[in-house]
Amino acid sequence: MSDGGEPASGSSGRDEVPDDYGTLYVVGIGPGLPDHMTQRAKGLVSTSDCVVASNLYQEFLRDDGTLPPEESDEGPEVVRSSMGKQVELTREAFGRVRDGEDVVHVSGGDPNVYGKSDLVFTMAETDEATDVPIEIVPGVTAALGGAAMMGAPLSNDFCTVSLSDKWRGWDEIEEKLRAAAISGFVIVLYNCWRNYERAIDVVREERADDVPVGIFNDAGRGEAGRNLDDETFSVTTLGDAKAHDDDVGGMGTSILIGTHETEPWSNDYETYLVTPRGGRDVDDF
């Protein structure tokens, strides 16, 4: 077992973990680059016995030295993850932990924001693996990374909505979008390669067309992202958002829809978005 493999203690008064067990860590690596990864995430990836990660995340982790080069005999065993193998690999991880290994399941962004954490707990219940210790290690999610690129658009209440209809119907997605729009939340849309034009139409029924919108790709990945133009963001309005189809690059794209309080803010270098927390004057803070 690795030096970084001790689970958090005293959090729930649970029974003692058997001495010969490891721990299953679901680790958020944020955008996947070292500057946006927590020290704990880097430490667990580099010192675990087994790392389960997609080819893309393996590449990121090897490039920054968190994982050794592929041809090296040092470091953890690395197992390739893919969408169709999640259940199988989680089940395998339970067995490895019972055999004394520390296993890291790598999740991009944060494991709790459309990541892998729910699968691990669901599988533990289904497979009667509640004896397996599990720890979730947070990471920077796309909403936070994109907001940092665009200035201060999340300084007031906000929510995230996934546009993927893989696990739920469009009716449910539309209901949540409409409720968020009426409630005055800044809305960050995930999985925008699906249904983003429909989502814009729904929000336009509840918000003015001049509300600012930010479209961002591969936030926090610089030149290492999947987008052909690398890390980008553009500022438009709700009424014009659908005319920016070329800016919606695929899985790395998210869209931030402001409120009536969100305003463009420019300096000598860039145009940002700012949603004030309440007061608009310095004296109000």
Side-chain angles (χ1 to χ4, degrees), residues 16-73:
E16 289 295 321
V17 175
D19 291 339
D20 56 351
Y21 273 35
T23 298
L24 174 55
Y25 297 96
V26 187
V27 175
I29 62 168
L33 303 185
D35 288 347
H36 292 163
M37 206 183 313
T38 68
Q39 290 184 342
R40 180 153 181 77
K42 286 177 65 71
L44 287 169
V45 170
S46 61
T47 62
S48 64
D49 299 296
C50 176
V51 172
V52 181
S54 69
N55 285 342
L56 179 67
Y57 297 143
Q58 287 184 42
E59 180 181 341
F60 288 158
L61 294 167
R62 294 189 196 279
D63 284 348
D64 75 14
T66 304
L67 286 176
E70 190 170 1
E71 61 274 12
S72 174
D73 293 329

Side-chain angles (χ1 to χ4, degrees), residues 141 143-144 153-160 184-188 256-257:
T141 186
L144 302 182
L154 300 184
S155 295
N156 210 323
D157 298 331
F158 71 95
C159 67
T160 63
F185 288 107
V186 173
I187 306 168
V188 183
L256 184 148
I257 304 174

